[in-house]
Amino acid sequence: MKKVFRKTVSVLLCIAMLISMSIIGASATQRYTDCNGECQYYPTIIVPGLGQSNTWVLDDNGDFVLDDEGNKISSFPAYIKTDEVLSKVLVPAVLSLVLQRDAGLTEAASDVIRSCFGINTCDENAQPSPNVYTERYPYPVSECRDFETEEIFGHVPFDLYETEQPYDHMYYFAYNSFGNHFDLVNELYDFIQMVKEQTGHDKVNLVPLSQGASIVSAMLDYKPEVQNDLHKVIFVVPALDGSTIIGDVFNGRVSFLNKEYVYNGFLGESGLLDKGTAALIEMLFRILPDEVLMSALESAVNTLVGEIMVKSTGMWALCPSGDYPTAAEKYLSSPEMANIKAQTDRYYQAQLNSDRNIQNLVDNGVQVFCFVEYDVAMINVGETWNTQNADYIIHTDSTSMGAHFANVGETLPEDYVQQNTHCSDPTHNHISPDRVVDASTGLLPDTTFYFDGQRHDLTARNDVILKLALNLIESDRIQNVYSLPEFPQFNVARGSEKLVILVEQAKEIDPSTLSDEDAAELAAAIDEAEKVIDSTIGVVGEVEASEARVTACLVKAGVMEAPDEGGISLDIFMQISPWFYENFGTDGYSELIIRFTMKVMQTVVDTIVSFI
Ligand SMILES: [Zn+2]
Ligand SMILES: [Zn+2]
């Protein structure tokens, strides 16, 4: 009897366990698709770039910190508390100005950096602050709420273009750019497994953008088995070997800590401001003595790099392998940094193995594509900024997997011949029409697309890049750079967003209100603009020319005011600032006055002496 009872109990327990397991199982494999994994589309995961995920500031109770309008506050790239910043900097700044010496400004500069970037400081294990919340989307885009799709497409505007790819087969892997790189790799790996379960497919596509490529590259090294989960990888301007900006900054090669450069062209060459405004600001620097300004700048940089950036393994993964050993020696050799160094050393290995790991993917049947942008000088933050080709943010050696480039503004030597380092087909011409790059020297010459003059930070505005990426996501019709003539290997920078809006406005004009001649020009301008927009083969300057033509029609029809050509020109400062530099070096105005007075007095004394 006892035996029977025991048996019944154990059977009942087993049934209970099975039921509960099936419930857990059912919730774990929540399906968002009805294709059973048998449709032609591969679930695609976008792995975005630096700062392209929402990270919000939390208070110590884990609640969102809200601004005056009740909105959540972003922690990227910094959490700026205006009142706190002002209270730290106002008095020292005013005092330093009045007294013309450092009255606490250098210290205040450090304090301000700590106050703003403190939220992104990791601990000695490179773990980010619990006060940062990363907004994640563990479901396809089709399941996202409106504000979530807005965020996603705000970063990567795939929604602007037609695609066959169903949104229940599209995912966005959000992450904290300052986060722990090891954890990010594990999270991405788990995300891939989740996507497989949610869609029923056994392989996915990955679209790593910029910094996102560092996570994928690490994953290929730490978890090589992931290649079985991959159908295709589409690298878009990938930071596969970091960026020389970080390499320079981590090695103390910060260009704007050189005062001869700060007072003579740094801002003008940065590309952030027009040259007139840059020269005006350059002159404003002189209201402080140069030592004071430089000391405050140095203090800010040292705090930002030495206290904040060096604790982020996410940032270390952006340091080029060639710059890593010296930088690690400089910042990570102390015992308290040992845990961080163990992690960054491991990533360094992954970086060195990157090409081999990617080749391994290809050899195992995973399709790998790459988008490279070039011929835009690197932003001049690091001292090596103008020594190699770049896309403004990343040097091309990193994004192109080692392709050989002439420097920005230069071309390959006349007698240069294609090296065919990685291409074995003698009929292929991999030299760019502008003779700047030899694509045959990059790891994947037949599946890498190049965009001349395209700025990294404006990638999302390039409609051709987005259309090509969608094309690669939704089908396998593009096998290489020769598959579709409308997507050639070499293309150019562009952004058609503004033109699209102008055409919409132009189409609203009633042609019967115009003269025959103006109506004909309007129709022709619209026709030309639509051809430009639809074309995926860019011609340098055609978008701008078409914009001007449509704008002229809008102005003539009275729909738009003529673009303001006038306004105050600051170009005059482009002459004045260099004149000051030539004659007075880096001196501030007060030093200038003293020096000038001394000079006058000296002349007077000399004159008197000569009379005596
Ligand atoms: Zn499917
Ligand atoms: Zn080839």
Side-chain angles (χ1 to χ4, degrees):
M1 189 63 199
K2 235 180 186 177
K3 240 183 187 172
V4 174
F5 177 73
R6 247 191 231 158
K7 225 177 184 177
T8 317
V9 169
S10 58
V11 166
L12 281 173
L13 271 173
C14 275
I15 292 171
M17 267 172 71
L18 278 174
I19 290 172
S20 63
M21 271 167 71
S22 73
I23 291 170
I24 293 167
S27 64
T29 53
Q30 164 89 52
R31 280 278 166 88
Y32 291 111
T33 55
D34 43 26
C35 69
N36 257 331
E38 277 155 17
C39 79
Q40 60 180 306
Y41 301 107
Y42 285 88
T44 296
I45 303 168
I46 301 163
V47 187
L50 188 78
Q52 290 188 314
S53 299
N54 282 333
T55 51
W56 305 116
V57 179
L58 297 179
D59 63 20
D60 292 338
N61 298 321
D63 296 321
F64 290 113
V65 176
L66 304 175
D67 66 12
D68 294 342
E69 273 118 51
N71 300 314
K72 286 178 267 191
I73 296 174
S74 172
S75 67
F76 185 89
Y79 171 27
I80 299 167
K81 292 151 274 181
T82 318
D83 295 351
E84 200 177 306
V85 170
L86 278 179
S87 75
K88 283 181 197 301
V89 89
L90 197 61
V91 174
V94 171
L95 278 179
S96 300
L97 262 179
V98 173
L99 301 174
Q100 287 291 301
R101 63 173 172 78
D102 190 350
L105 195 61
T106 298
E107 221 181 296
S110 277
D111 278 355
V112 166
I113 293 291
R114 268 183 217 114
S115 148
C116 295
F117 289 90
I119 186 97
N120 291 317
T121 311
C122 298
D123 66 15
E124 66 282 4
N125 293 313
Q127 286 299 330
S129 158
N131 296 86
V132 176
Y133 172 84
T134 305
E135 189 177 300
R136 291 182 174 85
Y137 318 107
Y139 31 74
V141 171
S142 58
E143 295 296 315
C144 286
R145 288 163 287 179
D146 286 350
F147 77 91
E148 294 174 319
T149 23
E150 239 171 72
E151 298 292 354
I152 291 170
F153 290 135
H155 295 302
V156 183
F158 278 148
D159 59 326
L160 297 180
Y161 308 98
E162 274 172 38
T163 177
E164 296 162 19
Q165 182 78 9
Y167 281 176
D168 59 5
H169 284 57
M170 199 183 280
Y171 287 77
Y172 196 83
F173 173 76
Y175 66 94
N176 175 2
S177 282
F178 287 102
N180 181 284
H181 205 261
F182 257 99
D183 291 348
L184 299 184
V185 173
N186 287 328
E187 281 168 30
L188 176 59
Y189 183 83
D190 293 344
F191 197 89
I192 292 170
Q193 308 315 315
M194 178 201 77
V195 170
K196 283 166 57 187
E197 282 179 14
Q198 287 185 1
T199 60
H201 283 266
D202 59 357
K203 283 181 196 294
V204 305
N205 292 335
L206 290 183
V207 187
L209 318 174
S210 194
Q211 186 190 22
S214 75
I215 303 172
V216 171
S217 175
M219 181 174 67
L220 295 179
D221 204 59
Y222 309 162
K223 293 177 176 290
E225 67 275 17
V226 77
Q227 64 176 274
N228 301 321
D229 302 329
L230 304 178
H231 170 64
K232 190 184 284 190
V233 182
I234 307 158
F235 286 111
V236 180
V237 289
L240 283 168
D241 194 23
S243 160
T244 53
I245 298 178
I246 299 291
D248 277 344
V249 166
F250 277 10
N251 278 293
R253 299 187 297 258
V254 180
S255 67
F256 59 86
L257 294 185
N258 170 357
K259 69 178 179 179
E260 302 301 329
Y261 191 33
V262 168
Y263 289 84
N264 188 30
F266 163 69
L267 274 178
E269 276 167 358
S270 70
L272 291 173
L273 303 163
D274 72 85
K275 296 213 166 182
T277 313
L280 171 63
I281 295 175
E282 208 169 82
M283 293 199 56
L284 287 175
F285 288 160
R286 292 177 188 268
I287 59 178
L288 280 172
D290 53 1
E291 289 84 13
V292 180
L293 179 77
M294 295 314 295
S295 160
L297 274 179
E298 198 171 334
S299 157
V301 169
N302 287 345
T303 307
L304 181 61
V305 178
E307 289 182 25
I308 292 142
M309 288 173 73
V310 297
K311 287 188 175 162
S312 165
T313 45
M315 291 298 114
W316 275 105
L318 293 174
C319 183
S321 50
D323 291 317
Y324 175 75
T326 46
E329 171 72 27
K330 181 175 177 191
Y331 283 114
L332 301 178
S333 43
S334 65
E336 57 269 27
M337 298 299 258
N339 286 340
I340 295 178
K341 186 162 187 290
Q343 297 174 45
T344 55
D345 277 353
R346 183 66 191 88
Y347 181 73
Y348 174 58
Q349 282 308 316
Q351 223 169 357
L352 296 177
N353 296 340
S354 173
D355 279 3
R356 209 182 61 205
N357 290 335
I358 289 171
Q359 186 61 52
N360 204 22
L361 283 185
V362 176
D363 295 345
N364 283 289
V366 180
Q367 299 176 44
V368 183
F369 292 86
C370 185
F371 293 27
V372 176
E373 299 164 346
Y374 70 101
D375 250 359
V376 185
M378 180 70 95
I379 188 166
N380 56 343
V381 168
E383 281 174 6
T384 68
W385 69 278
N386 55 2
T387 58
Q388 56 178 315
N389 213 303
D391 66 10
Y392 194 59
I393 303 294
I394 303 184
H395 56 300
T396 45
D397 189 58
S398 176
T399 52
S400 70
M401 308 179 205
H404 177 65
F405 283 80
N407 204 348
V408 176
E410 294 170 11
T411 50
L412 296 168
E414 232 156 78
D415 56 352
Y416 182 90
V417 285
Q418 186 168 309
Q419 298 297 299
N420 284 336
T421 325
H422 295 285
C423 176
S424 51
D425 188 330
T427 66
H428 287 174
N429 176 14
H430 286 301
I431 305 267
S432 63
D434 53 12
R435 281 191 69 80
V436 173
V437 55
D438 175 1
S440 78
T441 52
L443 181 69
L444 305 171
D446 297 331
T447 53
T448 302
F449 295 88
Y450 290 82
F451 293 84
D452 178 20
Q454 179 64 50
R455 244 173 78 164
H456 188 98
D457 52 329
L458 304 179
T459 301
R461 289 201 204 154
N462 188 317
D463 49 329
V464 178
I465 290 180
L466 288 154
K467 284 178 186 169
L468 176 56
L470 282 171
N471 212 313
L472 290 165
I473 288 168
E474 71 193 13
S475 80
D476 287 346
R477 66 179 84 91
I478 297 179
Q479 285 292 311
N480 57 49
V481 295
Y482 302 106
S483 296
L484 290 182
E486 59 264 45
F487 290 111
Q489 175 152 50
F490 298 105
N491 217 316
V492 302
R494 64 181 243 163
S496 65
E497 224 172 311
K498 187 174 157 198
L499 187 58
V500 169
I501 295 167
L502 287 172
V503 168
E504 275 169 20
Q505 283 177 292
K507 280 186 168 171
E508 278 171 21
I509 299 172
D510 177 2
S512 66
T513 61
L514 305 176
S515 71
D516 287 353
E517 198 188 329
D518 289 352
E521 169 59 11
L522 176 70
I526 292 174
D527 190 48
E528 181 194 69
E530 287 185 327
K531 281 202 182 96
V532 170
I533 292 165
D534 288 343
S535 169
T536 51
I537 300 176
V539 176
V540 176
E542 65 173 349
V543 171
E544 292 75 11
S546 183
E547 278 172 7
R549 190 174 178 190
V550 178
T551 304
C553 292
L554 291 169
V555 171
K556 213 154 186 206
V559 181
M560 189 189 262
E561 277 180 38
D564 190 10
E565 298 284 338
I568 306 162
S569 171
L570 299 176
D571 290 357
I572 182 75
F573 292 105
M574 286 161 62
Q575 262 89 50
I576 304 178
S577 185
W579 179 84
F580 265 92
Y581 180 75
E582 237 161 70
N583 289 284
F584 303 103
T586 61
D587 280 351
Y589 295 120
S590 64
E591 294 159 296
L592 271 166
I593 292 167
I594 294 167
R595 209 198 285 183
F596 183 71
T597 318
M598 296 288 279
K599 225 177 189 173
V600 172
M601 279 166 66
Q602 188 66 49
T603 317
V604 173
V605 172
D606 286 353
T607 317
I608 294 170
V609 169
S610 72
F611 274 113
I612 294 172

